[in-house]
Amino acid sequence: MPPAPSYQRRVLNLLKSLSTFPIRGIQGAGLLASATAIAFIAVMIFVVAGSLRQEIDDQATATADTTQWSLAQTEVDLRRLQFAVLEAMNDEGIAFKELRNRFDIFYSRVVTIAYGQQFAGLRREANAQNALKSLTDFLDTFSPVFDGDEEQIRKRLPEIDEELHKLAQEARRFSLAGVQEFAEGADTHRASVGTLLSRIAFLTLALVIIIFVVVLFLLKLVQRSVRAESAAAESRNHIQEVISTSIDGILTIDTDGHILDYNGAAERIFGYTRQEAIGQLMSKLVIPEHLQNAHEAGMARFRETGEHHVVGKGLLLLEARRKDGSVFPVELSISSATANGKAIFVSYLRDISSRVEVEKELIETRDKAVAGEKAKADLIAVMSHEMRTPLNGLIGTMELLGGTGLNTTQSKYLSGMETSANLLLHHVNGVLSMSRADSGFMQIENAELEPSAFLEELVESQRPAFKANSNTIIYDVDHAPDRIWVDRVKLLQVVLNLVANANKFTKNGAISVDCDQLSDGETVEFRVTDTGIGIASEHYDTIFEDFRTLDTSYGRMAEGSGLGLGISRRIVTAMGGTIGLESELGVGSIFWIRLPIGQRDLSEEDKRSKRADEIKASQERFAVTPVRILVVEDNEINRLVAIDMLEQAGHSPDVAQDGVEGVRMANENAYDLILMDISMPELDGVEATGIIRNGLGPNCTTPILALTAHALPQDKDRFRNAGISETVVKPLTAEVLLRAIETHAGVGKGMEARSDRGIESVLEAIKARKGPEAARDLVIEFITSMDQVTSTLSNTTKTQTDRVALATLAHKCAGSASVLGCDAVSRFLGQLEDELQSGSSDLRQLEQMLNVAWKDEKTRLESRLGSS
Amino acid sequence: MGFVTQCAVAFTLLFLSAISTVASETILTVSGLPAASGSELTVEFELEELRRIGEITFSTTTPWTEGEQTFTGVPLATFVSSLDLKAGVLKATAVNDYAVEIPISEALFDGPIIAYLKNDKRMSVREKGPLWLVYPYDSDAKFRTEIVYSRSIWQLDRIVVSE
C-alpha cells in the first residue's frame, strides 16, 4: 500500500491544471484585430483631417482678411484721391505730389483687384465685371493726365472730381459683389468643412466605440487573469499543503542534481533542514557513497541523451543516507516534470527501515519454522529407519523360528509376536511413507486392475476382522468399470485404511464398499459406507491432518497412530485423485476417493510380460547354477536371516561381519554378487563399495546389492554414485533377494563359463517350449535391437522424444539381455534407462561401458547362432 | 552715323543721369534704432545701399498679381542683422499707410525679402513700389498663411524699430 504514487499523481494533476488556465488562446487574435481596426480608423481620420486642412488652406488665400481689406481699401483709396482732388481744386498753390501719389495708390489698388489671383473668382461675376471695367476705364483715361504737367491736371480737376464721384458708386458695387461672392464662397467652404468634420466625427465615434470594445475586452482579460491567478495561487497553496503534509519525503531536483525543493517529511527522514538542503547536490547529501557513481552516471546519461532508467518506473527500493551518515532502505518513485521550460525530477521517498526490519524478522521466523519442520521430518525419517532395522531382524528371526518345528503353544506365541511385529512395522512404514510423500518421493506405478476382483479379494480378507466387531460387510460393483489403471498397492493401502477405520468406529453395524464409474466417464469412485458413530462436519477437514484422532473416546476406540487418513490423502493426491467424506453424528459416515480411470500402458504391459519371462527363466537357471555370494552385514540377526534365505535357495554365501572384513574378502575371492549392508560401524556400505569398485581386486565390477533401511531418494542417488548396483529396502524377503540375485548374479570373474551354461540352458528351455526357430529369432531380434540402442546412443543430440524412445528400447533390451545371460549388458541398459529418465545429460561413460560389454556378448551370441 | 552716335551718347547720359537721380533718392527710412547715447537713431537707405547689404532673387506667385513674378531684394534677416538688431518688433508702414508689425524673431532666413526689383525692374508706386516685403509663397505652405499674407506689405517706405 505505497501512497507515494497517489501523492505524485495529485501533485502532477495540480501542476497540470496550473498550466491549462485559458488565458492566452483567442485573446491574442482579438487584440490584434482591435489594433488593426484602431490603426485603420486612425489613418482614415488622418486622411480626412488632411483633406480638411487642405480645404482650410485653400480658403486661406481666397478668404484672407487682406482680400476684404483690399476690397474696402479700394473705396478708401478712391475717397482719399477724391479729397486730394478737391483740395487741389480749392487751393491753387498746393503741390501736386500728394495728388499724384494718391492716384498712384488708387491705381495700384485697382490693378490688384483687376489682376490679382485672389479676385479671379469675383471678376467672373457680371456686376463686378462692369464695375471693374468702369474703374480700369477711368485709370486708362486719366493716367496720361496725371503723368502730364500740373497745368493740364488742374484744368481737368473738375472732370476728374465728377468721374470719381460716379466711380465711387462703381467701387461700392464691386465691393458689394465681393461681399456676396466671398460670403457664398465661405458658405461652400463651411459646407465642405462641415462634411469633413462630420466624417471626422463619424470616424472618431467609430474609433471611440472600438476603443471602448477593446477596453471592455481588456477588462475581461484582466478579470480572467485575476481569476486564473487566484486559482493558480489556490492550487499552489494546495500543492504546498500536499507537499508539506505528505508523510513521504518529496525532493525536487534539477537536471544537474541540485535540490530545488525539500519538504517537511524529507527533513524528518534525512535530518537535514530545508535551509541546509536547498541548493545542495542531492548525490552528496543523501546518496550513500557506494551508489553515488551510479547516480552521477545516470544523471550524466540523462543530460546527454535525455533517456532515464528510473523515472516513471514505479516503486524502486534503494538505500539512502541520513545526516548522521547512517544508511537506510528507502522506497522511492521518481517522475519528471517541466518547470520554467527546464526538466526537473520529483522524487517521492519513504523510509522503510522498520518495514524491512519486520520483513527480515518474518523471514527469519519462517526460516526457523521451516527448519524446524525439516528437522522434525528428518527425525521422523531417521527414527523410522533405525526402528525398521531391528524390527526387520525380529520379523526375519521369527520367520526362521517358525521353520524350526515348534509345538502348538510355541507356534501360537510366535504368531502373536509376528502380529505385533507386523503391526509395529505397519506403523513405522506409515510414518516413513508419510515423510516420503512429503519429500515428494512417491512413485505411482499404474497397472490394469479389475475393481470387482479387487474388492472381492479385499472384502474377503477383512471379513474375520469385521466379525470380531459384529459388523457385516458387503460390496457392490454393479456400476463399476470393468478395468481401471491404477497403482494397485497404493489403492489397496488407501481402501484398506478406510475399511479398517469403518470397522473401528462401527459396532453391530453394516459396512458397504462400493465402486462406481462417475458420469464423466473418466473417474472411478470407491466408497466406504458405515453405520458407525459419525463425524461432526467441522472436523471434515481436520481428520485428514497428520496425527489426528478426534477425541479421547475416539482415541481409545482407535489404536491408530492418527496417520492413516493423512497418508491416504497424500497417496490419493499423488495418484491424481481426491478424497473426502460425508457424515452425520450417530448415523454413519461415507468416505470416498475419486481417481482417474486411466488407460492401458503398453510399456507397462511389456514390462509385466517380460518380468514374467525373466522370473521363469531365472528360476530355471537358479535350479542349476548356484552363484557365489558375499554377504557383508554387521547385524548378526540380519546376517543369519540373509544366509539362511540364500542357503534355502541353493546358494552358498560367504560372510563378512563388517565393512573392513567385507573389503578384505572381496579382494581375496571373486564373487558373482555382494550383498552390502549400508549402516555399519567403521566402514559403512557406501565407503566399502567405493573401495571395492576403485580397487584392482577381482570384484571391481561385481554387482553390489545394498541392504538398507534408508530409502530416501537422495540416498539412492548417493548409493548409485558410489557404485552400488541396486538398493533393497529392508526387511529383506526371500522373493526380493532371489529376484535381485537373478538380475545381477553371473557378472564378474568366471562369468563366461556360467554365462555360457546359462544361455545354453535358456535357449534349450525356449527351444523345448517354442521350437528352435523361435530361439534363433529371439537372439537375432535382440542383436538388432541392441545395435539400434548403441547407434541411437552415439547420436550426440537427442530430443526429449528420442530419450523416451531410447529408454523404452533400453528397457526392452535389458529384459532380453538378462534372459540371454548378458548380465553386464542388462545392467548397463538398466542404468541407461534410469539416466535417460532422470534427464542426465552425460551418458558418454555409460555408452563406452555398454559398448565394451555388448561387443563381447555380441561375438558370443553370433558364434552361438553359427554353431546351432 | 554721327546721329546715331549722338543719340547713343545722349541716351546713355540720360540713363546715367536718371540712375544717379534715382540712386540718390531715399527709398527706406528706418527709425527708432538704438544709439550709443541712449537716444534713438534714424537711418535712411538709398537703393544702392540696400543692394550692398544683400541681394537674392526668387520667383513666386502672389494673391495680388497674375502669374509668376520674379522678385529681387535683400533678405529681411540679413537686413535686420546689418542693423545689429537682436530683438524687438519692426513696424513697417507703406505709402498708403498700411502698416504691420513683424517680430524680429520671425525675420526668417530663406523667408521674406525686401524686394526692390520685380521681374528685374524697379517698381513704381502704381506697381506697388518702391519696396515690397514678399515671401516665397510657393516654396512652402508655411508662407501661405493669413499672417504671412498680412505681413506682405507693398509700397513699403519706412520702418520703425521698437522694443
Side-chain angles (χ1 to χ4, degrees), chain A residues 437 442 444 446 486-487 489-498 523-526 544 564-580 591-596:
Chain A
M442 186 183 283
I444 304 296
N446 291 340
V486 295
D487 188 317
V489 177
K490 301 280 191 304
L491 180 63
L492 185 63
Q493 190 178 347
V494 174
V495 178
L496 262 183
N497 179 246
L498 295 181
T523 310
V524 61
E525 182 180 83
F526 291 89
F544 290 106
L565 285 174
I567 292 167
S568 294
R569 177 176 57 79
R570 286 181 175 83
I571 292 172
V572 171
T573 305
M575 291 169 86
T578 50
I579 187 168
F591 280 81
W592 51 260
I593 60 172
R594 292 175 188 143
L595 298 170

Side-chain angles (χ1 to χ4, degrees), chain A residues 166-182:
Chain A
K166 281 189 267 179
L167 209 54
Q169 290 172 16
E170 295 298 330
R172 172 139 301 253
R173 203 158 59 173
F174 185 80
S175 292
L176 291 173
V179 169
Q180 192 175 350
E181 165 73 12
F182 289 122

